[in-house]
Amino acid sequence: MPASTKITFYDLICNHPEKRSTSPFTSKLRYILNYKQLNYTTQWLQLGEIEPLFKKLGIPHTAVMPDGSLKYTVPAIMDETSKEPVLIADSYEIAKYLEKMYPDPERAVFPAFPSGSSSTASVQMTPAMHALVEKHFYTTIYPVLRGFVMWGIWEAQTDGSRGVWLSRVGGDVANIPRVPASGTEERKEAVGKLRDAFQGLGDAIEQNTEGVWFMGSRPTYVDFVCLATLMLLKAHGEEGMWEEVKTWEGGRWEAYVKAAEPWLVIV
Ligand SMILES: N[C@@H](CCC(=O)N[C@@H](CS)C(=O)NCC(=O)O)C(=O)O
């Protein structure tokens, strides 16, 4: 039964017809909120609205820029379930908070043991280990993925976000990283690199015999990281890219996304 929580979830607005976020960080958290069946409403923000609103509300920054300025980012949540509202930013910190505040052994994203598992029950993954695997995504997959999604992300920006976004690429769309045109050797090479990076993940999933998820029969934090990455490619990737991904590893990634469908809804 859904928990009667009162949570405001801050996400980045874009002009995708299904409002599929251009942020894998907010997508991951949205899927976790859905999976854990927590009640929440979304407040959609344009890029330039994040900092002034968060400063006003008291939502903390998540990074310090090289020039010393503070960086405010989505996702963030305001949890007003209890008398004292809780304001929290950073997707991993929010996920840990939700797990602690609203524990549900059936829907744990950081289970103490692989859920539904008996034979591999000695394998334990702490939140810090999940974070380590997540880092692997950002250092291994994302550098290759960027060229396939950045143009789509740019195109999905709302008018109100475009100015801020463009200033980050030196004011010139020509600086947005893109993969070489289809049919070229360079493009084939880039696709091959991405396929290999995903193959590594597929091999890890293959290690368990109990389900389609990394740790067995139920998804855990790293699955939501993986789902957000795949959905970024599906919603904002270059045309034809998702069709190609669907053919990899006997259709593993299409089936993986399909299995997660109930948690991918946007509310
Ligand atoms: N470590 C943060 C990173 C979040 C992040 O970088 N969010 C981006 C959107 S993808 C953001 O809000 N950027 C605001 C800006 O660039 O001004 C998390 O996991 O939540």
Side-chain angles (χ1 to χ4, degrees):
M1 188 200 281
S4 55
T5 44
K6 186 168 183 242
I7 294 173
T8 306
F9 167 60
Y10 300 94
D11 197 349
L12 204 52
I13 185 82
C14 75
N15 58 27
H16 185 271
E18 290 168 21
K19 285 195 179 162
R20 291 275 161 218
S21 182
T22 55
S23 166
F25 303 105
T26 63
S27 297
K28 168 187 64 183
L29 198 72
R30 179 183 292 284
Y31 306 157
I32 289 174
L33 284 161
N34 290 340
Y35 177 65
K36 294 176 90 58
Q37 298 192 327
L38 301 174
N39 273 335
Y40 67 97
T41 53
T42 305
Q43 184 166 344
W44 297 98
L45 300 173
Q46 309 203 70
L47 266 181
E49 294 175 318
I50 300 171
E51 181 172 332
L53 178 68
F54 287 12
K55 276 183 173 164
K56 194 174 113 198
L57 293 173
I59 294 178
H61 63 278
T62 56
V64 180
M65 303 301 278
D67 67 359
S69 60
L70 305 179
K71 189 168 181 186
Y72 293 84
T73 56
V74 284
I77 61 160
M78 174 156 58
D79 184 0
E80 296 173 282
T81 309
S82 307
K83 259 200 201 124
E84 201 59 45
V86 177
L87 299 158
I88 175 162
D90 192 278
S91 53
Y92 171 63
E93 294 303 326
I94 302 169
K96 281 195 299 181
Y97 164 84
L98 294 174
E99 190 90 331
K100 187 167 161 226
M101 287 305 288
Y102 308 109
D104 177 351
E106 296 289 303
R107 292 164 186 280
V109 294
F110 298 115
F113 298 99
S115 41
S117 158
S118 50
S119 60
T120 52
S122 59
V123 181
Q124 194 171 351
M125 216 164 130
T126 62
M129 286 157 81
H130 278 271
L132 208 62
V133 178
E134 177 167 28
K135 200 164 171 199
H136 174 79
F137 272 80
Y138 301 136
T139 53
T140 310
I141 302 230
Y142 277 75
V144 197
L145 187 78
R146 276 167 60 82
F148 292 97
V149 296
M150 289 307 273
W151 187 260
I153 291 178
W154 156 246
E155 288 193 314
Q157 295 305 308
T158 55
D159 288 346
S161 287
R162 283 196 170 203
V164 181
W165 208 92
L166 207 52
S167 68
R168 308 261 170 88
V169 289
D172 188 351
V173 289
N175 293 330
I176 297 172
R178 298 188 74 171
V179 284
S182 2
T184 60
E185 271 312 306
E186 291 86 346
R187 163 108 181 183
K188 260 192 224 150
E189 203 182 305
V191 172
K193 270 194 195 158
L194 193 61
R195 195 185 49 234
D196 289 350
F198 271 100
Q199 175 80 52
L201 300 172
D203 290 346
I205 292 175
E206 207 57 44
Q207 299 290 309
N208 84 66
T209 52
E210 297 167 23
V212 301
W213 311 109
F214 276 93
M215 289 175 72
S217 60
R218 287 182 199 156
T220 59
Y221 185 79
V222 290
D223 289 294
F224 293 105
V225 173
C226 190
L227 284 164
T229 307
L230 289 164
M231 288 304 289
L232 183 65
L233 195 60
K234 187 174 177 192
H236 299 290
E238 291 218 337
E239 217 182 311
M241 204 43 216
W242 180 245
E243 296 311 308
E244 184 147 354
V245 173
K246 278 171 27 180
T247 66
W248 297 347
E249 298 175 56
R252 175 193 301 285
W253 302 115
E254 189 187 17
Y256 187 81
V257 164
K258 186 133 192 57
E261 236 163 39
W263 316 310
L264 304 183
V265 292
I266 314 258
V267 293

